[in-house]
Amino acid sequence: MILSEEEIDRTLRHGPWPPAVTLDPSNRVSGNANAIALGEVLFSDPVLSKDGAMSCSSCHQPGRDFTDGVARAEGRKTLDRNTQALWNLAGQRWFGWSGDSDSLWAQNLTPLLNPAEMGHDAHSVQSAFLESAHRPEYEVLFGDLSLESALETTVNVSKVLAAYIETLRSGKTSFDHFRDALAQGDMKMAAQYPEPAQRGLQIFIGRGNCAFCHSGPAFTNGEFHDAAVPYLLKQGRVDPGRAEGIDRLLGSPFTLNGDFTDDPRKSGAWAVRNVRFQHGNFGIFRVPTLRRAARTSPYMHDGSLPDLAAVVQHYDKIDMERLHSDGEAILRPLGLSDQDAENLEAFLKTLSDD
Ligand code: HEC
Ligand code: HEC
């Protein structure tokens, strides 16, 4: 066994996988089989775009791990950011690269109502559903559509989509089999995990400090950090990242603290109630999950890194100038040998081979 006791201990913290299924108390159709089935159909139905030209799956392509393979999403114009894969979102605290929303259903409202994406408004969503073939299935879930306000229909549609998206769980990978073997003390089983991946794992949980942010079973702490990715956009604009997310959260009627949650106890609303703007929020982004990441290139919020080798190189040669002055000093140039870099990449790939 290459790993020390201490390293085994740290490895165990990245599991078990998959986590237990939890329902979203803010969404009354969470876990509802009819809603999940309708959500899956709607996800690929152009009825969700005002002119019928686009669906969620135009960008989140199910056969491509719910991404599109381009650096920045192509909507009616090129968006500022990379399309996120939709794996393992159930139970997250924040959504979007900058955490614009604190629930999955609220996050789904953004593409629906964004003129550069689906381009709907609440009234057009409702009239599309009044005429659509999905009306009967919708009414089984929510009752008579014609008695609702347009905003209620729009939020309900977002909740149906969320019921589907929260079922997208990535499977067990060779890393998980290794971790399970360690948990059971089965060293013979554990030895089947390739040595390069074991050495890469040592860097990940050790001197690379990767697990500081990419922690836990989903390899993310779900929060916002500075990974030294430039946040300048063309035309001298910047992407304010979490700073913009906080602005949007605090101005949104659709948070867990608002009137559209189905949870009378408003559990989870403490997070948004405690959000405060700080200068350090500029240009920081949500830590992505690394599960299935080998299949979701290009990388980072702006899609600027083409493959995992480039990501490893980015962290190895990290540009300290780019870390904000009030940044976290967690990242340092790593001085990896070619072999180290290959091992780290080999480890990352074992999070995607389910
Ligand atoms: C034009 C391409 C495009 C379309 C169409 C699109 N999305 Fe997205 N999606 C994106 C991009 C880009 C992001 C990252 C947004 C951000 O953080 O700025 C994203 C992020 C998300 C997220 C957040 C994922 C996470 O990790 O937090 C969810 C959920 C989502 N989209 C659902 C949907 C749904 C549902 C639809 C259809 C109603 C949809 N998207 C349509 C490009 C698209
Ligand atoms: C300080 C917190 C932090 C540390 C430490 C860290 N990361 Fe990240 N990681 C992030 C953030 C934040 C992003 C997204 C940055 C962005 O888009 O601007 C990211 C993005 C990534 C991505 C791209 C995923 C995707 O879907 O786009 C990979 C792969 C990755 N990190 C691997 C690593 C590895 C390997 C290490 C260790 C060498 C590491 N990270 C260390 C915070 C961190």
Side-chain angles (χ1 to χ4, degrees):
M1 172 52 47
I2 298 171
L3 303 192
S4 68
E5 287 289 315
E6 160 77 15
E7 286 169 334
I8 290 176
D9 205 49
R10 288 179 178 218
T11 302
L12 294 180
R13 290 179 213 161
H14 293 286
W17 192 262
V21 176
T22 49
L23 297 184
D24 177 356
S26 73
N27 178 358
R28 65 191 181 284
V29 297
S30 170
N32 177 311
N34 292 328
I36 294 167
L38 178 58
E40 180 166 10
V41 173
L42 289 180
F43 191 79
S44 295
D45 190 327
V47 71
L48 287 195
S49 64
K50 191 169 182 178
D51 61 2
M54 208 184 266
S55 71
C56 307
S57 59
S58 306
C59 296
H60 301 286
Q61 298 165 22
R64 284 182 109 150
D65 281 76
F66 302 95
T67 58
D68 47 19
V70 296
R72 295 181 189 196
E74 296 292 349
R76 282 157 221 282
K77 58 179 182 129
T78 304
L79 306 187
D80 288 342
R81 298 189 187 146
N82 181 252
T83 300
Q84 290 171 301
L86 301 179
W87 294 113
N88 304 320
L89 291 177
Q92 279 272 328
R93 179 168 303 143
W94 309 114
F95 298 84
W97 281 109
S98 46
D100 293 4
S101 318
D102 62 353
S103 73
L104 186 51
W105 55 267
Q107 181 67 30
N108 292 338
L109 287 166
T110 307
L112 264 183
L113 303 177
N114 181 355
E117 295 175 78
M118 314 306 275
H120 264 303
D121 54 67
H123 290 283
S124 65
V125 171
Q126 192 177 44
S127 37
F129 268 77
L130 280 167
E131 289 157 27
S132 96
H134 304 304
R135 183 170 175 179
E137 294 132 278
Y138 178 95
E139 292 189 330
V140 168
L141 293 165
F142 299 105
D144 191 343
L145 181 58
S146 61
L147 299 178
E148 291 179 337
S149 74
L151 202 52
E152 279 166 343
T153 305
T154 306
V155 170
N156 287 342
V157 166
S158 299
K159 287 178 177 171
V160 169
L161 288 166
Y164 162 59
I165 294 172
E166 69 187 9
T167 64
L168 304 176
R169 273 278 178 229
S170 61
K172 258 188 195 291
T173 71
S174 58
F175 168 78
D176 297 306
H177 295 304
F178 175 62
R179 189 227 163 253
D180 289 353
L182 293 180
Q184 288 152 15
D186 185 344
M187 294 306 160
K188 212 172 137 220
M189 255 293 273
Q192 290 180 16
Y193 187 57
E195 188 185 320
Q198 295 195 37
R199 299 214 179 273
L201 166 66
Q202 285 180 308
I203 299 170
F204 190 88
I205 58 179
R207 70 187 165 111
N209 224 359
C210 315
F212 183 90
C213 300
H214 297 282
S215 60
F219 292 85
T220 169
N221 62 10
E223 291 295 329
F224 305 86
H225 288 276
D226 183 0
V229 179
Y231 57 106
L232 265 177
L233 294 162
K234 279 195 199 110
Q235 298 111 18
R237 285 190 305 132
V238 297
D239 185 334
R242 181 57 173 156
E244 186 178 64
I246 290 178
D247 235 34
R248 291 193 176 149
L249 261 178
L250 297 180
S252 169
F254 304 110
T255 68
L256 296 181
N257 200 31
D259 293 336
F260 293 91
T261 169
D262 296 322
D263 180 1
R265 294 170 51 233
K266 295 198 168 176
S267 48
W270 61 269
V272 64
R273 284 192 206 118
N274 286 298
V275 160
R276 297 283 177 279
F277 176 81
Q278 291 166 315
H279 188 70
N281 297 136
F282 267 103
I284 66 173
F285 295 87
R286 200 184 84 214
V287 179
T289 179
L290 300 182
R291 289 193 177 268
R292 286 188 83 94
R295 302 164 185 243
T296 64
S297 66
Y299 299 107
M300 305 306 191
H301 72 274
D302 56 356
S304 55
L305 299 178
D307 51 32
L308 285 177
V311 174
V312 168
Q313 167 96 353
H314 164 83
Y315 283 109
D316 183 29
K317 306 263 177 329
I318 201 118
D319 182 350
M320 301 296 283
E321 299 280 301
R322 283 215 177 116
L323 289 171
H324 312 182
S325 52
D326 47 359
E328 301 161 276
I330 300 158
L331 293 166
R332 294 254 175 273
L334 297 175
L336 300 178
S337 68
D338 289 353
Q339 189 62 63
D340 292 339
E342 277 170 33
N343 291 344
L344 184 51
E345 196 185 331
F347 161 68
L348 291 172
K349 287 184 174 156
T350 68
L351 304 177
S352 304
D353 57 6
D354 48 323

